[in-house]
């Protein structure tokens, strides 16, 4: 029998949850507030910042100095492209590990995950030289490939977890009906794992959208996404807090909106197979 939750405990959990949520959201809220202030007001005391007049001056300056829509489009192409390419590679790999495991499958999974523990700067020089020789510097294709490789272990791990929850008998029944390996992947496995694939796609789009190290190192102008757009407002002369906040707000707004409207699908995918 489930243990009853007392009103007092429910109230404490609610207050704790709201406190944690507000603490996590406060930096974003403060960034948005500063974006509507002048540079002089942005560096004032917190109470003075809140009571000072609001203005769109920083947004006008940002739009005049930078081509926001070019950076936005680059972020869309790079994040979606790298995620879709990772899914194309990860779905067959996760299928093989989940339904045709070998004696070294777990070791292989741990090895893939261990590559995420290596500092990215450790492979910066060879990747930069390879990109230079192949002419991929400051190109969307180059960033798509790099971010796909960086996030591939996470994609495979997530899909492997979801595929393990699918009964193998369903695939055996499909084989008895004459399904080929292609039919098994496309028409049987993929539709059943749509929640898991959707959550994997959303999470990796967010990871690719927020990636700063590789985008700053491998791009300059043509393929520069929104992370480079933000970094352009940190100069040797100092940090222009209002303009930097305006640029940050413009950069995070699309991904916040995406997360808000897809939160149900994201939660459904993350809990896929968790409840029997």
């Amino acid at each position: 029998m489930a243990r009853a939750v007392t009103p007092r405990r429910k109230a404490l959990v609610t207050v704790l949850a709201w406190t944690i949520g507000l603490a996590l959201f406060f930096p974003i809220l403060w960034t948005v507030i500063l974006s509507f202030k002048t540079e002089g007001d942005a560096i004032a005391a917190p109470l003075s910042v809140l009571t000072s007049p609001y203005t769109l001056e920083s947004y006008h300056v940002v739009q005049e100095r930078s081509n926001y829509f070019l950076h936005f489009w680059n972020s869309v192409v790079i994040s979606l492209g790298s995620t879709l390419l990772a899914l194309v590679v990860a779905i067959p790999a996760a299928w093989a590990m989940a339904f045709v495991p070998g004696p070294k499958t777990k070791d292989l999974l741990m090895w893939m995950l261990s590559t995420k523990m290596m500092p990215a700067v450790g492979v910066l020089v060879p990747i930069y030289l390879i990109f230079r020789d192949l002419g991929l510097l400051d190109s969307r294709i180059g960033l798509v490939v790099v971010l796909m490789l960086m996030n591939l272990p996470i994609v495979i791990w997530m899909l492997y977890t979801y595929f393990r929850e699918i009964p193998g008998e369903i695939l055996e029944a499909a084989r008895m009906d004459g399904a080929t390996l292609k039919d098994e992947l496309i028409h049987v496995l993929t539709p059943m794992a749509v929640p898991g694939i959707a959550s994997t796609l959303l999470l990796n789009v967010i990871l690719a959208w927020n990636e700063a190290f590789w985008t700053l190192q491998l791009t300059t102008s043509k393929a520069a996404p929104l992370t480079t757009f933000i970094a352009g407002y940190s100069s040797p002369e100092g940090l222009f807090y209002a303009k930097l906040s305006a640029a940050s707000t413009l950069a995070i707004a699309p991904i916040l909106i995406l997360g808000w409207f897809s939160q149900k699908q994201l939660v459904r995918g993350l809990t896929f197979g968790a409840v029997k």
Side-chain angles (χ1 to χ4, degrees):
M1 179 179 292
R3 184 170 56 183
V5 179
T6 63
R8 180 181 178 183
R9 182 177 180 181
K10 184 177 180 180
L12 289 174
V13 171
T14 301
V15 171
L16 179 62
W18 273 99
T19 302
I20 295 174
L22 291 174
L24 293 174
F25 183 71
F26 179 76
I28 299 175
L29 176 62
W30 193 250
T31 298
V32 175
I33 292 174
L34 290 182
S35 70
F36 290 100
K37 303 296 181 177
T38 63
E39 290 296 343
D41 293 334
I43 61 175
L47 291 179
S48 300
V49 171
L50 294 175
T51 57
S52 61
Y54 288 78
T55 176
L56 295 175
E57 175 186 340
S58 296
Y59 287 95
H60 290 309
V61 174
V62 168
Q63 291 288 358
E64 291 174 357
R65 283 184 52 184
S66 307
N67 187 347
Y68 169 77
F69 292 102
L70 173 63
H71 296 289
F72 169 78
W73 180 243
N74 286 338
S75 288
V76 171
V77 172
I78 292 167
S79 57
L80 287 179
S82 62
T83 301
L84 293 176
L85 184 59
L87 287 177
V88 170
V89 177
I91 288 177
W95 171 87
M97 294 180 185
F99 298 107
V100 194
K104 298 295 184 180
T105 295
K106 291 185 178 180
D107 295 336
L108 181 60
L109 284 168
M110 288 303 301
W111 173 79
M112 286 190 297
L113 190 61
S114 69
T115 61
K116 293 295 295 179
M117 304 175 190
M118 180 179 65
V121 71
V123 293
L124 172 61
V125 173
I127 288 181
Y128 185 89
L129 294 177
I130 292 172
F131 272 48
R132 184 199 63 185
D133 295 339
L134 296 178
L136 294 177
L137 289 176
D138 201 17
S139 69
R140 293 172 182 167
I141 295 176
L143 281 179
V144 165
V145 173
V146 165
L147 296 187
M148 182 274 288
L149 294 174
M150 294 300 110
N151 294 328
L152 187 60
I154 297 177
V155 180
I156 293 178
W157 260 92
M158 292 184 67
L159 292 179
Y160 170 79
T161 303
Y162 299 135
F163 289 172
R164 283 291 297 254
E165 300 297 329
I166 298 176
E169 291 78 6
I170 295 177
L171 300 181
E172 293 177 2
R175 295 187 194 117
M176 293 180 64
D177 290 337
T180 63
L181 178 59
K182 179 181 177 182
D183 295 331
E184 186 178 323
L185 281 172
I186 298 177
H187 301 296
V188 180
L189 181 63
T190 302
M192 294 186 64
V194 165
I197 294 174
S199 66
T200 303
L201 186 147
L202 288 171
L203 285 176
N204 282 274
V205 165
I206 294 172
L207 289 174
W209 189 281
N210 294 331
E211 175 60 43
F213 178 80
W214 291 108
T215 56
L216 291 174
Q217 302 300 326
L218 300 177
T219 63
T220 53
S221 56
K222 292 188 296 183
L226 287 170
T227 48
T228 307
F229 168 74
I230 296 174
Y233 290 89
S234 176
S235 66
E237 290 79 13
L239 291 175
F240 299 95
Y241 289 105
K243 298 178 183 62
L244 188 59
S245 298
S248 300
T249 302
L250 290 171
I252 65 176
I255 207 69
L256 285 177
I257 294 172
L258 173 65
W260 177 264
F261 284 105
S262 60
Q263 56 183 314
K264 290 184 179 179
Q265 292 81 0
L266 188 59
V267 171
R268 182 186 176 193
L270 290 173
T271 57
F272 179 65
V275 180
K276 296 291 186 182

